[in-house]
Amino acid sequence: MTKCFYNAILVLADRLLPNGWVLVEDGKIKRYGDGEIISAEEMIDCKGEYLSPGFIDVHCHGGGGGSFASLSFEEHEKALKMHMQHGLTAITPTPGTLDVEELKKLREIKEEVDRRADLPHHLGYFMEGPMTLCQPHPDMAMGTQEVPVITPDKYVDGIKEGKDIINRLMAAPELEGGMELGRALVEAGITACMGHSNATFTEVEEAMKNGYSTVTHLYSVMSTVTRDMGFRRGGLVEAALLLDDLDVEIICDGCHLPPELIRLAVKCKGYDKLMLVSDCGPLGGFPEGEYEVDFGPMKMNVYIEDGVCKPPARNCFAGSVATSDRLVRTVYKNAGVPLWGAVRMITKTPARHCGYAGVKGEIAIGLDADLITFDDDINVSNVWLMGEKVV
């Protein structure tokens, strides 16, 4: 069946195309253009709104009351449906485990998601632990359970068990076993990410030689400029900004980063190496108030205030409650990035990063017709997966 989406401003990878249309056949984009509309079996009026590729979040822990750390499909479903309402069409859910038995259950959950045509596409899991190989950064101290240091021999079986369902995994490469882990991840076909790390610039360069290619949530829980006997040296922040080969995540909820740091990251990395991520927790989509939340290895009372999740002391953040539309809105409206550039960093760039270049993340011929419409304030009105309406 052919469908023509018309009367739209197309959000392409390098520009906006007014008076645009997109022809879809059997779930794939067949043609697109502007001006005279091509007829199809179903004509879909976009009512002058933006027509964009669906958003892709590569770092998300849950939402809508559901947690990806849970081994319950219903929990995953709740989170996926909530984020889909905000324009998400693909995701690497972030449960953070390498326990062999838990990975078997996560595989079953992924298989169920893959069978469902009404849920965002599951691109494989992102493991932000449990083996970050470092103790919590002082800025993250919330009086809760410490994250254990785990040596490489304790995660070999997990990598073998999960290599077909894990897309990305994060560690602190500077600690004992970190370089070995990077090599093991590359061998397993898993993207090795650096984060929750106190690595020096030199250690980051060494990590890249051992397979690490990505920096998780830039500026958050990572090393920056320090002094050693008076001599300054760069950290992971500076490496992320300076080294061209590194892909970099940024949490653009308007709370974790001010506009000037977003602009600096964009200036240094460009649209092709920077990815907007939510880092959203189970309370994503909830109103302001006090809640008890289970973060997997720890439970705590938190407050949603000022658009972010806070611990009782309010001395730091206890996680994000952002959705994909909010990320684009922040970068576009607050940081002054062109709309097409903001969208590119949450569509084409993460698609390429996850191994889906030429499959998802762009309005281009032959790609999956995962499409959304939204207004100039990035309020999402419709979502289509493979050309079929789901929101």
Side-chain angles (χ1 to χ4, degrees):
M1 182 179 184
T2 59
K3 301 180 181 183
C4 183
F5 298 78
Y6 70 98
N7 189 19
I9 304 169
L10 303 189
V11 184
L12 303 180
D14 58 355
R15 67 192 189 281
L16 302 179
L17 186 63
N19 195 26
W21 51 265
V22 174
L23 183 66
V24 171
E25 184 174 11
D26 298 327
K28 302 285 186 178
I29 297 172
K30 188 174 183 180
R31 293 177 62 184
Y32 69 92
D34 60 345
E36 185 176 352
I37 303 168
I38 289 183
S39 62
E41 294 170 271
E42 182 179 353
M43 303 296 291
I44 300 168
D45 186 355
C46 297
K47 301 178 181 178
E49 291 194 313
Y50 295 101
L51 181 65
S52 164
F55 301 144
I56 301 172
D57 192 350
V58 300
H59 188 162
C60 179
H61 297 272
S67 171
F68 294 132
S70 168
L71 299 180
S72 160
F73 171 77
E74 288 71 26
E75 291 264 327
H76 289 238
E77 183 182 36
K78 280 194 292 186
L80 291 170
K81 284 188 172 182
M82 188 282 290
H83 283 288
M84 190 169 65
Q85 294 287 329
H86 295 270
L88 183 82
T89 59
I91 188 172
T92 58
T94 308
T97 182
L98 277 184
D99 178 87
V100 171
E101 293 306 313
E102 291 181 353
L103 284 168
K104 290 178 180 178
K105 182 61 179 177
L106 287 174
R107 176 179 284 102
E108 293 175 5
I109 291 173
K110 183 182 184 306
E111 290 171 351
E112 179 62 24
V113 173
D114 291 343
R115 285 192 288 267
R116 293 277 296 272
D118 61 337
L119 292 176
H121 303 290
H122 194 312
L123 306 184
Y125 293 103
F126 169 43
M127 300 304 181
E128 193 189 17
M131 13 48 71
T132 61
L133 300 182
C134 69
Q135 300 296 334
H137 190 280
D139 289 348
M140 292 293 288
M142 296 180 284
T144 54
Q145 176 182 334
E146 289 189 342
V147 178
V149 175
I150 299 179
T151 53
D153 63 332
K154 294 183 180 179
Y155 53 68
V156 170
D157 289 343
I159 290 176
K160 289 180 179 178
E161 174 64 34
K163 65 180 182 180
D164 61 326
I165 59 168
I166 299 173
N167 191 299
R168 335 167 57 233
L169 187 145
M170 185 196 79
E174 74 278 8
L175 298 187
E176 184 177 356
M179 301 302 174
E180 179 183 341
L181 171 62
R183 296 192 297 272
L185 292 174
V186 170
E187 185 176 349
I190 298 170
T191 298
C193 307
M194 295 175 276
H196 290 239
S197 165
N198 290 316
T200 64
F201 190 95
T202 302
E203 287 169 334
V204 175
E205 290 183 306
E206 182 65 21
M208 293 174 68
K209 295 175 183 177
N210 285 276
Y212 289 89
S213 61
T214 304
V215 174
T216 300
H217 51 43
L218 179 65
Y219 304 113
S220 297
V221 203
M222 65 179 60
S223 54
T224 183
V225 176
T226 55
R227 298 187 75 170
D228 182 6
M229 301 297 289
F231 293 91
R232 289 182 177 83
R233 60 183 182 180
L236 185 51
V237 169
E238 290 71 36
L241 294 173
L242 183 60
L243 300 176
D244 292 339
D245 289 340
L246 288 174
D247 284 345
V248 174
E249 300 176 4
I250 48 174
I251 306 170
C252 292
D253 59 355
C255 300
H256 281 74
L257 301 178
E260 61 268 23
L261 289 186
I262 296 174
R263 290 198 297 269
L264 176 61
V266 172
K267 184 175 183 178
C268 291
K269 302 301 298 183
Y271 306 135
D272 287 331
K273 301 299 288 184
L274 209 56
M275 299 179 288
L276 311 187
V277 300
S278 70
D279 200 6
C280 185
L283 297 178
F286 278 53
E288 291 196 349
E290 181 180 4
Y291 301 90
E292 181 179 88
V293 66
D294 185 347
F295 282 106
M298 55 187 178
K299 289 184 179 181
M300 62 186 299
N301 289 328
V302 297
Y303 296 85
I304 298 179
E305 294 177 347
D306 305 317
V308 72
C309 196
K310 302 177 184 179
R314 272 89 161 179
N315 62 340
C316 63
F317 295 159
S320 163
V321 292
T323 50
S324 298
D325 51 350
R326 180 173 162 191
L327 307 178
V328 174
R329 187 181 305 115
T330 298
V331 174
Y332 172 45
K333 296 287 188 177
N334 297 353
V337 174
L339 178 59
W340 61 266
V343 169
R344 182 173 179 143
M345 292 187 287
I346 198 170
T347 55
K348 184 177 181 179
T349 302
R352 186 267 306 158
H353 171 83
C354 291
Y356 287 81
V359 179
K360 296 183 179 297
E362 188 178 1
I363 293 179
I365 294 173
L367 273 66
D368 292 347
D370 299 336
L371 301 169
I372 63 175
T373 53
F374 53 78
D375 63 19
D376 194 59
D377 289 322
I378 325 299
N379 296 307
V380 174
S381 52
N382 299 281
V383 178
W384 295 266
L385 295 174
M386 304 296 289
E388 297 298 322
K389 194 173 189 307
V390 290
V391 173

